[in-house]
């Protein structure tokens, strides 16, 4: 590292997309029309879109060039081989099954290994992962270390699996556990990394019970950067080496290339088990496509292959992690409660702490997310009781935390965009006591946060 402290984007801008300022009155009307669900907004009405880092990043010049190499042969396309080589350069799994995105890989895997009476442990299931486990009839359990549930507690690897809890689960129910999952980084728990040491311990427990270990690898490169910068003895290792060691500890992975694939669409399922792979391939053909394209066009496979080469760049990862921390540190300095340390792809505001007067079942995260849009056209995402509060048996209870995630699309916004976000969040936080809760007017049976509609509680809700 040299002595300059200013974070600069390690790229110049090559093509620009306009973004549009709206008036407060327009945003008020948009909110009402959207049933106060930010997923229902027209994206043209959003100024800074921090809803997700998934598929929303900017592709590089070299990725767009790779798109032109896309070969759309139905079977055995050269683009498939480019994709396969890029995945295999990082991960050791002999079977790589392309899918249109991460949840398609989850659906295929859990259709095969899930089912009634089964139980799947994970540090923390992402919402689609949980939904796919539960859809199969199996139970999803989250076994993150206790610090992972405490927003203000500093821990370098807050995404770690509680190894003792995993051991206890396996001691009791090993026969019902088809696979152990570790999500890197732990998205729903605040974008927090998992250490190599923890992965080795989880591996050892899996070995004792002869269970396969799978990674939810969406943000594997960001996790590797945290290992390099936070874990003892890792500072001098190339990122690629760390990624390969992570892969070597697992038997398979699900992946959304919309995150650390630096692509706008894509994913894969990979594994070392031949029989399992054969079953998964049958489902792939049924629902996604032929073995050498999954749900993807040849050009998408090319964009992912190039993205996987770029994402392990240290200049890129240093900028990526530092620029996320820049937003988090500024809000922390301003006294806004948030999940610490700052995660890799997002800053998670602690809405329950900021809005203690709003009961969890009146959705403080929803209230905060709506107000950020109303005030400044910023779209974040509730990760809390709206997302996780409804259970398969129909009951509702508060989620472990009520957070609002400000996810940072990769290579997309500049530091001045982020300075604007800081200004708006500080303003909304100062007005916290004026915010009101919400009730749900209408909700679907699963993944309700995507399509539920809301109404503000109380006449002067704002
Ligand atoms: N696993 C994790 C940890 C994720 O963050 C996501 C997606 C998925 C699986 C599913 O992948 O979207 O390609 O089907 N996360 C996005 C998000 C949607 O906003 O965090 P997908």
């Amino acid at each position: 590292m040299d002595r300059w402290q200013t974070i600069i984007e390690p790229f110049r801008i090559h093509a620009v997309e306009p973004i549009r300022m709206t008036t407060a009155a327009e945003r008020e009307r948009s909110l009402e029309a959207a049933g106060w669900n930010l997923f229902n907004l027209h994206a043209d009405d959003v100024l800074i879109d921090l809803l997700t880092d998934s598929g929303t990043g900017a592709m590089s010049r070299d990725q767009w060039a790779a798109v032109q190499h896309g070969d759309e042969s139905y079977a055995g396309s050269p683009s498939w081989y480019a994709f396969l080589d890029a995945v295999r350069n990082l991960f050791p799994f002999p079977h790589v099954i392309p899918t249109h995105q991460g949840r398609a890989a989850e659906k295929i895997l859990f259709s095969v290994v899930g089912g009634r009476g089964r139980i799947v442990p994970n540090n923390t299931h992402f919402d689609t992962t949980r939904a796919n486990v539960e859809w199969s009839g199996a139970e999803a359990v989250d076994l993150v270390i206790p610090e992972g549930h405490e927003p203000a507690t500093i821990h370098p690897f807050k995404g770690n699996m509680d190894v003792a809890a995993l051991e206890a689960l396996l001691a009791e129910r090993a026969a019902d556990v088809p696979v152990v999952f570790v999500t890197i980084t732990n998205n729903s728990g605040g974008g927090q990394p998992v250490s190599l040491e923890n992965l080795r311990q989880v591996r050892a427990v899996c070995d004792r019970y002869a269970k396969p270990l799978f990674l939810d690898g969406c943000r594997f490169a960001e996790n590797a950067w945290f290992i390099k910068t936070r874990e003892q003895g890792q500072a001098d290792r190339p990122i690629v080496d760390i990624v390969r060691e992570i892969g070597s500890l697992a038997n398979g992975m699900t992946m959304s290339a919309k995150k650390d694939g630096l692509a706008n669409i894509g994913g894969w399922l990979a594994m070392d088990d031949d029989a399992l792979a054969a079953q998964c391939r049958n489902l792939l053909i049924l629902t996604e496509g032929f073995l050498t394209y999954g749900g993807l066009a040849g050009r998408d496979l090319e964009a992912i292959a190039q993205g996987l080469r770029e994402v392990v760049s240290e200049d890129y990862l240093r900028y990526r992690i530092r620029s996320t921390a820049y937003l988090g540190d500024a809000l922390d300095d301003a006294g806004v409660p948030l999940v610490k340390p700052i995660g890799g792809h997002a800053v998670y505001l602690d809405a329950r702490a900021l809005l203690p007067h709003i009961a969890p079942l009146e959705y403080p995260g929803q209230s905060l997310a709506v107000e950020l849009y109303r005030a400044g056209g910023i779209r974040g995402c509730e990760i809390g009781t709206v997302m996780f509060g409804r259970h398969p048996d129909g009951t509702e209870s508060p989620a472990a935390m009520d957070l609002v995630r400000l996810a940072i699309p990769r290579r997309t916004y500049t530091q001045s965009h982020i300075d604007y976000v800081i200004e708006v969040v500080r303003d909304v936080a100062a007005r916290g006591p004026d915010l009101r809760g919400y009730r749900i007017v209408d909700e679907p049976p699963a993944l309700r946060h995507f399509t539920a509609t809301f109404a503000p509680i109380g006449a002067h809700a704002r």
Side-chain angles (χ1 to χ4, degrees), residues 52 101-103 106 126 128 187 216 218-219 256 259 405:
T52 176
Q101 59 184 82
R103 70 198 67 182
E106 295 165 0
F126 182 65
T128 61
N187 182 7
D216 177 337
C218 292
R219 298 175 182 85
S256 169
K259 285 79 169 179
R405 183 183 72 169

Side-chain angles (χ1 to χ4, degrees), residues 6-344:
T6 309
I7 306 164
I8 66 160
E9 291 79 8
F11 47 79
R12 294 182 297 194
I13 293 167
H14 170 72
V16 297
E17 284 181 272
I19 53 177
R20 190 172 72 88
M21 202 52 185
T22 48
T23 64
E26 281 176 314
R27 293 194 293 275
E28 198 63 60
R29 279 197 299 277
S30 300
L31 279 170
E32 198 164 335
W36 288 273
N37 184 334
L38 302 181
F39 282 99
N40 288 338
L41 291 173
H42 193 311
D44 277 350
D45 297 331
V46 176
L47 184 66
I48 307 282
D49 203 348
L50 307 182
L51 182 66
T52 176
D53 64 319
S54 181
T56 51
M59 292 216 296
S60 68
R61 172 193 65 189
D62 293 341
Q63 283 179 291
W64 284 112
V67 163
Q68 292 296 328
H69 286 272
D71 177 301
E72 307 302 341
S73 302
Y74 187 91
S77 157
S79 301
W80 153 251
Y81 290 102
F83 168 87
L84 185 62
D85 284 350
V87 174
R88 289 238 177 97
N89 180 46
L90 298 174
F91 298 100
F93 312 116
H95 302 287
V96 179
I97 297 172
T99 60
H100 78 276
Q101 59 184 82
R103 70 198 67 182
E106 295 165 0
K107 174 79 166 85
I108 290 172
L109 179 67
F110 295 117
S111 298
V112 176
V113 305
R116 282 182 89 77
R118 298 280 167 89
I119 182 164
V120 178
N122 199 322
N123 45 352
T124 310
H125 290 81
F126 182 65
D127 59 350
T128 61
T129 324
R130 170 172 288 277
N132 274 302
V133 169
E134 290 174 350
W135 183 262
S136 81
E139 192 187 335
V141 285
D142 293 341
L143 300 179
V144 72
I145 55 171
E147 290 89 338
H149 293 301
E150 300 159 6
T153 304
I154 305 280
H155 184 292
F157 292 102
K158 238 175 154 173
N160 280 354
M161 180 82 99
D162 183 334
V163 179
L166 176 66
E167 177 102 51
L169 175 77
L170 285 164
E172 200 182 321
R173 298 196 52 185
D176 301 327
V177 176
V179 58
V180 173
F181 252 83
V182 176
T183 303
I184 57 172
T185 59
N186 189 24
N187 182 7
S188 309
Q192 302 293 325
V194 177
S195 70
L196 268 181
E197 181 58 25
N198 187 252
L199 282 168
R200 291 191 197 108
Q201 290 168 353
V202 172
R203 171 79 265 165
V205 174
C206 289
D207 284 344
R208 275 203 290 287
Y209 290 89
K211 294 296 168 190
L213 170 59
F214 269 56
L215 302 167
D216 177 337
C218 292
R219 298 175 182 85
F220 70 87
E222 294 172 7
N223 200 100
W225 179 260
F226 282 118
I227 288 173
K228 182 179 169 76
T229 52
R230 291 186 185 167
E231 192 160 352
Q232 225 186 347
Q234 303 299 321
D236 297 329
R237 288 179 78 183
I239 289 293
V240 173
D241 270 14
I242 296 173
V243 171
R244 288 182 184 142
E245 182 172 352
I246 292 172
S248 76
L249 293 167
N251 301 98
M253 71 190 294
T254 54
M255 175 70 191
S256 169
K258 301 171 76 171
K259 285 79 169 179
D260 277 351
L262 297 180
N264 300 124
I265 197 72
W268 68 82
L269 170 62
M271 63 200 69
D272 56 16
D273 182 316
D274 298 346
L276 178 62
Q279 283 176 287
C280 291
R281 286 198 169 104
N282 286 336
L283 285 179
L284 184 82
I285 291 178
L286 204 60
T287 60
E288 291 282 292
F290 186 64
L291 311 180
T292 61
Y293 73 87
L296 297 169
R299 54 180 170 270
D300 301 324
L301 294 165
E302 294 277 359
I304 296 166
Q306 179 59 24
L308 290 174
R309 288 191 280 277
E310 294 176 12
V311 78
V312 291
S313 149
E314 295 195 5
D315 284 348
Y316 162 72
L317 285 169
R318 180 181 300 111
Y319 143 79
R320 169 74 177 154
I321 302 302
R322 280 192 67 198
S323 57
T324 304
Y326 174 83
L327 170 60
D329 290 345
L331 297 177
D332 191 26
D333 290 347
V336 178
L338 35 72
V339 175
K340 292 200 269 190
I342 305 304

